[in-house]
Every structure is written in structure tokens, then in C-alpha cells.
């Protein structure tokens, strides 16, 4: 059974990114004003099923009221079925109370209060991304400042790559509009009209015209969405440094399913071993998570050989799963009795590859989430882990990857994972680049400047 750790919406000043929560087609469930009894029944059945699954497997389900009191079919706001499902999910995820955080919901999103921070439902888009397939313009963006909108990443083989867009390009207009900067509501960027315009244009449209500038000048390009295969290993290099040290540097952008990335990771670490690297630098600044299996494999590639056979992490599932009380989910999976108990959810290190170092640097931001945080936490008790950047997103929980309801994929937390020292979730960063890392960053300035 596949587990994933995947974020929903991640943004803040300096890192407002091209991620969106409503990933469904705009006409999903829209009957154009005509009555369709079959569609109406399907809508209600799906709403009921979402809540019934939440009652059974949601990580904080002890806060949920009985079915009739919650009444999932009351959530009728939204022009599409997917929007109605999202409203329902937002409602039940705000019922929990986290005593460690002023009794706010465990899924409280400070940037969008009332919306779930983790849970969502979509049309299969995330499942496709985990299988290394995307269907978009092929770039991520962020606000370097309120009035400086930049491209943070361009995927090879994407429409953006074909148009010659580069990391660091400044976007000066979108679809002819220069009103793209956060000036009206800087204290609440997510509700700023310009931010919403940019988000809708770059996340929801099928075509977009951009004017960009860089050191070479300016140009205007028109992009159309396209399906392409993702290689999340964006950049790799090794750098001989002073003192006889060699740094191996990798930009890793997504934990896609292991079968789609294992050969590439093996190749990268084989090169690192042949160059006798003494230190690793793993750039996870734009990595929002993904497949837990891939996180474990990368952890085994990085870990020193002495970690083999020791505990990597333990997964803690919701109480109903631990107690084998999950009749709905049993219709979709088949696991032996007691499988979900913590004693049966301990993963141990099995060293992979020939790289054997004792120190790893992770470059992180508040965009570094989920499976990225899991990888870092896996390694912290086993080696010298140095973090440079900003405090990470903080997503200690994860989802089952194939929970479908009437053709939709439901992602709602069912488990959390902790390392051998009991650490999980948000990672505070208080380190600044030491001499070795500064030397590498100077060498790769074109990659790390923005």
C-alpha cells in the first residue's frame, strides 16, 4: 500500500508558489442549469462517502460529529461538484482542536483561515504528478518581493522550456496586464487582487502570454498547457574544494514514485561515489513532497553505512486503523490483522549505493514540505545534518495514494511519521552557510541566487 506526503497550498512573501488546491476541471459536475437526477444522486453519494471515510480513517477523526449532525449533503456552495466536495472537506477539517496551538484546528492554515491545510480532493492530477507526468505550462513562480515576480524553476521538455524561459526570469506582464504585483493587500497576500489574478492565470488557464526580462533583454512568449514527463533531478554537479574536500550537489524537486526515479538517483550517486565526494548538498527548496517510498530510498542513498539495520522511522496510523476497525477501507485494501500497529510500522535503514559521508547539507525554505521533511528527519539522528535557509512548511502527516470515490482522489491525513528520536513535522533552521557551503554556493551562483 503506497503512502504519500504531499502539500496543498504553500505561500508566503518571498516564496508564493505555483501550487493550487482545486485541481479539477472547471466543468466537473456542471449540468449547465439542467436537472440531471443521476448526477444529483452521484453528488450526494460522493459527499456522504467523503465524510464516512473521514469518520473512519481521518487522523483527527475523534473530533468529528456523527453523520446526521454533520450532514455532508448540506454543502452546496460552489459551481462544480469538486468545489462542493472541497467545501465539505474544509468544514470537517476545521473541527479539531490542537491544544498545542491555541486550540486552533490541526489543519489551520494561517494564510487561508477556514480552508484545510492538508486535505483535498482532485481529479487525478496529483496521482499523475507522482507518476512523473504533469500537464501544465512547466514552470514555478514566486514573489521575490511584493513587486518582483520571478520564475523559480523550469521543467525540461515542458512548454516553458521550449519557449526558452529560464530560472530567474522576471515576469513583467501576464496576458497583457502589468497589474501583477502585491500592492493592495500586502498584509494578506493570498487575498490580494493581483495575486489572485496571477494565480488564476498561471494555475487555471490553458494558455497564457508572458512578457519576461533578464540580463539578455525582454521577450514575449505564449504558452499552451501540455502533458510532459517530469525529471525531478533538476541539476547535478560535483565541486573540488579547499582542504581536499569534494561536494556533491543535487537539486531535487519532487518525490515522484520510486519506479520513475530510482535509476536516475542511482546514476547521480554513482557519479558522486566515483568523484569521492566528502559532503553532500541536497537542494530541496522547491520540493513539496510526494512518495514515501522514494523518501526512504533517498535516505538510504545519503545515510552512512553504519546506519544500516537501525531504525529509520515509525509510522503512526489513526486509531481505527490500528484497531482493525475500518470496514469501508477494507473494501479497497487487504492487510493482515494488526498491520497498522506501530510495532509493525517500523522501517530500518538499508544502505544503498557507495557514497559514504557523515555530513549532508539541505537547502530548505517554507516550500520544503512533507516527504522532504521526512527525508531530513530520517537522517538527523544518524549523521551530521546541516540545514540552510528558512523554516520548513511543517507537514508531519500523510495520505494513502489510491483512495478513490466516484472517480475522484481523496487525500485526507491518515498517518504521521517520526524518526528514531521521535522527531517529525516542522524543522526550524538556525544555521547560516559555513565556509564549505559558501564556497559551493559561490560556484553555483547561477542556480542558487534566487
Amino acid at each position: 500500500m503506497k503512502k504519500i506526503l504531499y502539500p496543498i497550498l504553500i505561500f508566503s512573501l518571498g516564496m508564493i508558489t505555483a501550487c493550487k488546491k482545486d485541481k479539477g476541471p472547471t466543468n466537473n459536475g456542471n449540468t449547465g442549469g439542467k436537472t440531471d437526477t443521476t448526477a444529483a444522486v452521484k453528488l450526494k453519494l460522493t459527499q456522504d462517502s467523503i465524510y464516512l471515510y473521514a469518520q473512519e480513517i481521518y487522523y483527527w477523526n475523534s473530533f468529528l460529529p456523527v453523520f446526521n449532525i454533520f450532514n455532508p449533503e448540506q454543502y452546496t456552495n460552489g459551481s462544480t461538484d469538486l468545489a462542493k466536495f472541497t467545501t465539505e472537506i474544509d468544514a470537517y477539517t476545521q473541527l479539531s482542536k490542537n491544544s498545542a496551538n491555541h486550540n486552533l484546528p490541526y489543519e489551520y492554515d494561517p494564510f487561508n483561515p477556514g480552508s484545510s491545510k492538508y486535505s483535498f480532493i482532485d481529479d487525478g492530477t496529483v496521482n499523475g504528478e507522482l507518476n512523473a507526468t504533469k500537464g501544465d505550462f512547466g514552470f514555478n513562480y514566486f514573489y521575490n518581493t511584493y513587486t518582483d515576480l520571478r520564475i523559480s524553476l523550469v521543467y525540461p521538455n515542458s512548454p516553458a522550456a521550449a519557449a526558452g524561459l529560464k530560472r530567474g526570469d522576471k515576469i513583467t506582464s501576464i496576458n497583457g496586464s502589468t497589474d501583477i504585483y502585491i500592492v493592495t493587500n500586502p498584509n494578506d497576500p493570498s487575498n490580494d487582487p493581483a495575486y489572485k489574478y496571477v494565480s488564476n492565470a498561471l494555475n487555471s488557464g490553458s494558455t497564457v502570454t508572458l512578457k519576461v526580462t533578464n540580463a539578455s533583454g525582454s521577450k514575449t512568449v505564449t504558452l499552451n498547457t501540455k502533458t510532459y514527463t517530469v525529471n525531478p533531478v533538476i541539476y547535478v554537479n560535483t565541486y573540488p574544494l579547499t582542504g581536499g574536500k569534494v561536494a556533491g550537489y543535487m537539486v531535487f524537486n519532487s518525490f515522484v514514485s520510486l519506479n520513475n526515479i530510482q535509476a536516475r538517483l542511482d546514476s547521480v550517486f554513482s557519479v558522486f561515489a566515483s568523484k569521492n565526494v566528502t559532503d553532500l548538498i541536497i537542494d530541496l527548496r522547491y520540493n513539496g513532497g510526494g512518495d514515501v517510498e522514494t523518501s526512504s530510498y533517498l535516505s538510504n542513498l545519503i545515510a552512512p553505512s553504519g546506519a544500516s539495520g537501525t531504525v529509520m522511522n515509525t509510522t503512526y496510523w489513526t486509531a481505527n486503523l490500528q484497531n482493525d476497525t475500518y470496514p469501508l477501507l477494507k473494501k479497497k485494501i487487504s492487510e493482515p490483522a494488526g498491520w497498522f500497529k506501530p510495532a509493525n510500522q517500523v522501517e530500518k535503514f538499508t544502505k544503498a549505493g557507495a557514497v559514504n559521508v557523515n555530513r549532508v547539507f539541505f537547502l530548505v525554505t517554507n516550500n520544503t514540505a512533507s516527504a522532504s521533511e521526512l527525508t531530513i528527519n530520517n537522517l538527523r539522528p544518524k549523521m551530521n545534518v546541516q540545514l540552510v535557509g528558512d523554516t520548513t512548511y511543517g507537514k508531519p502527516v500523510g495520505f494513502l495514494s489510491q483512495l478513490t470515490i466516484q472517480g475522484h482522489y481523496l487525500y485526507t491525513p491518515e498517518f504521521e511519521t517520526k524518526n528514531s528520536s521521535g522527531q517529525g513535522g516542522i524543522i526550524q533552521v538556525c544555521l547560516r552557510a559555513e565556509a564549505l557551503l559558501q564556497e559551493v554556493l559561490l560556484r553555483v551562483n547561477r542556480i542558487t541566487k534566487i
Side-chain angles (χ1 to χ4, degrees), residues 73-274:
E73 294 176 19
Q74 70 174 297
Y75 297 97
T76 57
N77 291 336
S79 59
T80 68
D81 285 359
L82 202 60
K84 295 179 176 68
F85 302 151
T86 298
T87 302
E88 176 190 354
I89 291 169
D90 286 344
Y92 79 69
T93 58
Q94 302 307 295
L95 297 176
S96 63
K97 293 182 179 180
N98 183 357
S99 59
N101 188 24
H102 310 289
N103 281 330
L104 291 169
Y106 281 94
E107 290 208 47
Y108 177 73
D109 184 350
F111 298 106
N112 198 8
S115 295
S116 60
K117 185 176 183 180
Y118 309 132
S119 299
F120 68 105
I121 190 167
D122 84 344
D123 60 349
T125 300
V126 167
N127 187 63
E129 291 174 355
L130 290 171
N131 286 294
T133 301
K134 291 174 71 71
D136 53 24
F137 298 126
F139 71 94
N140 292 350
Y141 65 92
F142 74 107
Y143 282 91
N144 191 39
T145 67
Y146 289 130
T147 57
D148 186 7
L149 181 60
R150 299 276 181 150
I151 292 175
S152 60
L153 178 71
V154 176
Y155 285 98
N157 305 315
S158 70
L165 297 183
K166 303 292 185 182
R167 170 176 164 75
D169 285 354
K170 181 176 182 178
I171 302 173
T172 58
S173 77
I174 298 177
N175 293 331
S177 174
T178 57
D179 187 16
I180 58 175
Y181 304 124
I182 300 174
V183 295
T184 303
N185 198 4
N187 293 326
D188 188 8
S190 65
N191 287 316
D192 183 89
Y195 170 75
K196 289 183 176 180
Y197 173 81
V198 171
S199 180
N200 287 334
L202 300 184
N203 291 328
S204 300
S206 59
T207 185
V208 68
T209 298
L210 306 175
K211 184 175 181 179
V212 300
T213 63
N214 53 37
S216 301
S218 64
K219 65 179 178 180
T220 299
V221 299
T222 296
L223 307 177
N224 297 301
T225 57
K226 174 187 173 183
T227 299
Y228 58 95
T229 300
V230 175
N231 176 6
V233 178
I234 303 299
Y235 182 80
V236 176
N237 211 337
T238 58
Y239 299 93
L241 305 173
T242 56
K245 293 183 176 295
V246 179
Y249 176 74
M250 177 177 73
V251 181
F252 190 56
N253 200 56
S254 179
F255 286 85
V256 299
S257 298
L258 184 58
N259 63 302
N260 288 302
I261 193 60
Q262 182 174 346
R264 176 61 174 146
L265 289 175
D266 287 343
S267 175
V268 168
F269 277 77
S270 177
V271 171
F272 286 167
S274 70

